[in-house]
Amino acid sequence: MVDTMSDYENAIEIANLRKCYDGFTLDDISFNVPKGSIMGFIGQNGAGKSTTIKAILNIIKTDGGSVKLFGMDHIQDEVQIKEQIAAVFDECPFHENFKAKQIDILFRGLYQNWDRNKFYEYLDRFGLPQKKKLGEFSKGMKMKMQIAAALSHGARLLIMDEPTTGLDPIVRNEILDIFREYLCDEDNSILLSSHITSDLDKIADSVTFIDNGKILLTGYKDDILESHGLMKCSKEDYQKIDPEDIISARINEYSVDIMISDRDKINRKYSGILIEKTNLEEIMLFYVNRRKKEWT
C-alpha cells in the first residue's frame, strides 16, 4: 500500500479521462498536480472544470481513462483517499439551518482525524460566529466555514471549485493567504479551479487550461508566461506573419495584437517586432478565440 504521507510524486494524476454528456464531452484529458504545489485549473464557465473535479472525487462515473490520488486509484482506494482530501465548492453544501456545532458533529462522524479544537480555532481566526445559522452568513463567511472544516481533519489535498467567485478582494486575499500557509507543509497540495486568473497569477505554481472539454495548455506557470507573449504590430506587418505562429489575433483600429506561444522562435524568425509580456487572463482570452483566429 502507498504511504500517502510521502511515497508519491504527484498528488493527482489524470490520464485520458473521458466523460460524455448530450452536447458536451470531457475529451481525453490528462494532467498532473505535483505534490507540494498549487495548480490553477482555469477555463470559462462550462469548459469542463466542475465535471473534471466531480470525476476526481468519484461523484460521477467516467467513460474512460484513469484518476490517481497519492498514487492510488480513485475508485478502488476511495475510502483511504477521502480521509486525506477535502473539497470546497462555490456553493456551500451545508444545510442553511446548521450552526458550527452541527458541522463539528457531522465531520467528527466522517473523518477519523477530525480535530474539533483546530476547527474552532479557525472559526475564531476567521471571525465566524458559532451560534448563528449558516443561512444568516454572507457568501464570504460560508466559504470560510467550508475552508475551516476542510483544514481541520489533516487533509493532504484540497480540491477547490471556484472558491473565490463572488467574494470581495479583501476576503479573496485572506483566503489566498490561508492557501499559502497550508502549502508551507510540502506534503500538502491544492487543485484550485477558477476563472479569476488574477488570483492564480499570485499563488499558482502550475496551470492547466481547459476549454470546451479539451486541455489546451498545462505546465508550470512561470514557463507558460515566459514562453508566451503578445506581439504588437501594424496591420501591414500582420499580413507577413505565418498563421502557424499565431494562436489568435485581436484586430484593433490601427494595429494588431497577436498571442504567440514561443517567444524565442518568433524573435529569431521576425526582427524588429515588439513582443510584450503577457498574463494568464490574456493567454486564456486568446486561446478561447483560437477558432476564430481573428477577433476584435
Side-chain angles (χ1 to χ4, degrees):
M1 182 176 292
V2 175
D3 177 1
T4 62
M5 301 295 286
S6 58
D7 294 339
Y8 58 93
E9 182 178 350
N10 296 309
I12 302 175
E13 295 178 357
I14 297 177
N16 309 116
L17 188 64
R18 187 174 177 84
K19 175 66 179 178
C20 298
Y21 292 106
D22 184 20
F24 176 80
T25 298
L26 200 63
D27 192 5
D28 198 32
I29 69 169
S30 302
F31 66 89
N32 298 330
V33 179
K35 179 173 73 169
S37 73
I38 178 166
M39 170 169 279
F41 191 34
I42 64 176
Q44 300 182 97
N45 291 331
K49 301 189 302 296
S50 293
T51 301
T52 302
I53 285 175
K54 288 175 183 175
I56 292 171
L57 296 172
N58 199 27
I59 294 172
I60 59 172
K61 300 303 179 186
T62 61
D63 298 313
S66 65
V67 177
K68 291 185 177 181
L69 289 86
F70 317 117
M72 297 181 287
D73 184 87
H74 80 305
I75 298 174
Q76 294 179 11
D77 303 303
E78 183 174 13
V79 173
Q80 185 179 355
I81 285 170
K82 287 190 172 175
E83 277 288 332
Q84 296 284 334
I85 67 175
V88 173
F89 299 95
D90 176 26
E91 294 297 327
C92 186
F94 304 132
H95 196 283
E96 294 279 275
N97 288 329
F98 272 18
K99 300 177 184 178
K101 181 179 179 181
Q102 280 74 43
I103 294 173
D104 174 27
I105 292 170
L106 174 67
F107 275 70
R108 201 185 316 161
L110 289 174
Y111 294 105
Q112 296 178 15
N113 295 324
W114 177 250
D115 187 335
R116 69 188 311 266
N117 291 329
K118 182 178 285 188
F119 175 63
Y120 285 107
E121 285 172 9
Y122 275 119
L123 297 190
D124 289 340
R125 175 179 169 181
F126 297 161
L128 296 176
Q130 296 183 21
K131 296 185 178 180
K132 266 191 177 183
K133 293 180 180 179
L134 286 178
E136 302 174 57
F137 280 25
S138 68
K139 179 161 184 159
M141 292 166 71
K142 288 179 181 178
M143 184 56 66
K144 288 180 183 177
M145 179 63 82
Q146 282 198 77
I147 291 171
L151 295 175
S152 297
H153 67 88
R156 290 296 179 186
L157 171 64
L158 301 185
I159 298 176
M160 309 280 185
D161 192 6
E162 301 282 0
T164 58
T165 298
L167 304 182
D168 67 64
I170 293 174
V171 174
R172 277 176 31 217
N173 280 328
E174 187 178 356
I175 288 172
L176 295 182
D177 284 339
I178 294 165
F179 295 163
R180 290 188 189 98
E181 182 181 310
Y182 173 77
L183 286 171
C184 286
D185 185 330
E186 294 181 358
D187 279 330
N188 293 342
S189 313
I190 299 177
L191 176 64
L192 175 55
S193 161
S194 181
H195 64 271
I196 304 176
T197 54
S198 58
D199 289 345
L200 302 177
D201 278 320
K202 295 175 184 175
I203 64 169
D205 298 301
S206 56
V207 173
T208 294
F209 175 30
I210 187 171
D211 184 54
N212 197 30
K214 296 178 183 291
I215 300 297
L216 299 185
L217 200 61
T218 186
Y220 286 105
K221 180 189 70 179
D222 290 347
D223 292 344
I224 290 170
L225 293 176
E226 181 65 28
S227 64
H228 285 73
L230 201 59
M231 182 191 295
K232 305 272 191 173
C233 67
S234 67
K235 291 186 176 180
E236 182 182 2
D237 285 335
Y238 170 57
Q239 300 303 320
K240 303 172 186 175
I241 305 298
D242 185 342
E244 293 296 317
D245 295 329
I246 299 172
I247 292 169
S248 73
R250 181 169 55 201
I251 311 299
N252 305 310
E253 187 174 358
Y254 301 111
S255 63
V256 182
D257 298 334
I258 303 167
M259 182 63 67
I260 51 95
S261 61
D262 189 338
R263 293 179 66 177
D264 290 341
K265 172 187 170 185
I266 297 301
N267 276 321
R268 291 192 304 269
K269 192 169 179 179
Y270 308 99
S271 61
I273 292 182
L274 176 65
I275 302 177
E276 295 183 348
K277 290 185 177 180
T278 188
N279 56 42
L280 293 177
E281 182 174 359
E282 284 186 326
I283 291 172
M284 185 171 77
L285 185 62
F286 277 82
Y287 269 95
V288 164
N289 283 286
R290 74 198 181 283
R291 285 182 292 272
K292 299 178 188 175
K293 208 65 176 180
E294 294 182 353
W295 50 286
T296 57

